[in-house]
Amino acid sequence: MEEKTKMEAGRKKETEPGRLERQLRFILEVDKSKQVFRQTYLSDGSRKENDAEHSWHLALMCALLGEYANESIDVAKTMVMVLIHDIIEIDAGDTYAYDEAGNATKREREVRAAERIFSLLPEDQAASFRALWEEFEAGETPEAKFALTLDKVQPLLLNDATEGRAWKEHGIRISQVLKRNERTGEGSERLWEHAKGLIEKNAELGRLLDDR
């Protein structure tokens, strides 16, 4: 009976005037994520990754590494969370993790972006995606904690693969990386242990400035 009710609700939504058009408009809008470039390089160092590539990478990591979450998580929910977590950067731009001035205005810029971009969707999906984005930002649920762990670990993997290229270009210090990763272990102690090993290795190789 419950499944039948869900199917009927789904069919009702399908008949909403303009619903499909709004969904397709959103899909085309978020295609712009492919044009938002981050500071982290691809693993082969050929160029910097874009937001769409970053989010896809996190979703795949979630599918593969969800077993290492500290708490039981809804993997599908977490995958959607990481797929949408950076689409606000279409408007707000990518704020480099170690840009103090940029991070001071980041929340304000991103909230404005979230209001515009998610509002392109039908009301029910707009509310769902906005809530999921806010959940990620708050970082309190098991899914959000694990998503944030993936978001921190992935750049470490790429920086290690490129011999610290982005770190060296920006003169990043060990203390900055450790500060940024203060909560990384909350989502997965296992992944954080591996990430700490990468940080220590790159510090020893001089790819991070030593200020400890």
Side-chain angles (χ1 to χ4, degrees):
M1 186 68 178
E2 183 180 348
E3 189 62 30
K4 183 179 178 181
T5 302
K6 288 182 179 179
M7 290 175 64
E8 289 173 347
R11 283 194 292 269
K12 184 177 179 181
K13 287 178 181 178
E14 287 177 11
T15 62
E16 289 178 11
R19 182 177 181 84
L20 177 60
E21 288 74 15
R22 295 186 71 172
Q23 292 166 327
L24 294 177
R25 181 184 174 192
F26 176 83
I27 288 169
L28 286 175
E29 182 69 14
V30 300
D31 184 68
K32 294 176 182 177
S33 292
K34 299 171 186 175
Q35 301 171 7
V36 180
F37 284 87
R38 298 162 50 80
Q39 292 302 310
T40 309
Y41 286 88
L42 301 181
S43 60
D44 67 356
S46 60
R47 63 169 173 82
K48 294 177 179 178
E49 69 171 354
N50 63 47
D51 271 359
E53 294 165 332
H54 171 67
S55 296
W56 160 81
H57 215 181
L58 296 191
L60 184 58
M61 289 173 69
C62 181
L64 293 173
L65 307 176
E67 64 192 79
Y68 299 110
N70 290 341
E71 305 168 79
S72 178
I73 61 167
D74 181 331
V75 172
K77 173 186 174 182
T78 312
M79 289 177 71
V80 176
M81 185 181 287
V82 296
L83 283 170
I84 69 169
H85 82 289
D86 270 346
I87 60 177
I88 41 81
E89 293 186 355
I90 290 168
D91 285 2
D94 175 62
T95 303
Y96 186 44
Y98 305 106
D99 178 358
E100 293 184 10
N103 278 291
T105 63
K106 180 181 177 182
R107 175 65 182 174
E108 180 183 352
R109 287 182 285 113
E110 292 189 345
V111 167
R112 286 200 305 269
E115 289 172 352
R116 184 191 76 81
I117 296 169
F118 292 129
S119 70
L120 297 174
L121 285 164
E123 288 185 12
D124 61 311
Q125 291 181 322
S128 175
F129 273 30
R130 177 63 184 271
L132 205 56
W133 178 75
E134 292 288 2
E135 183 178 337
F136 173 85
E137 290 292 303
E140 298 299 334
T141 64
E143 287 79 11
K145 289 177 183 178
F146 189 66
L148 286 165
T149 292
L150 297 178
D151 194 37
K152 299 297 190 298
V153 170
Q154 189 256 9
L156 294 176
L157 294 173
L158 293 180
N159 269 293
D160 178 63
T162 57
E163 300 181 346
R165 183 172 176 181
W167 287 332
K168 289 187 286 188
E169 286 183 355
H170 292 277
I172 302 303
R173 303 185 302 277
I174 300 169
S175 61
Q176 288 177 284
V177 177
L178 293 175
K179 176 70 175 176
R180 172 170 166 73
N181 285 278
E182 281 181 330
R183 297 188 60 189
T184 300
E186 292 182 16
S188 171
E189 287 292 344
R190 180 68 183 85
L191 295 183
W192 173 227
E193 283 300 315
H194 181 78
K196 278 195 296 185
L198 296 181
I199 295 170
E200 292 167 2
K201 166 191 164 184
N202 283 277
E204 291 173 1
L205 291 170
R207 298 168 182 170
L208 288 164
L209 298 180
D210 189 354
D211 59 355
R212 290 183 294 183

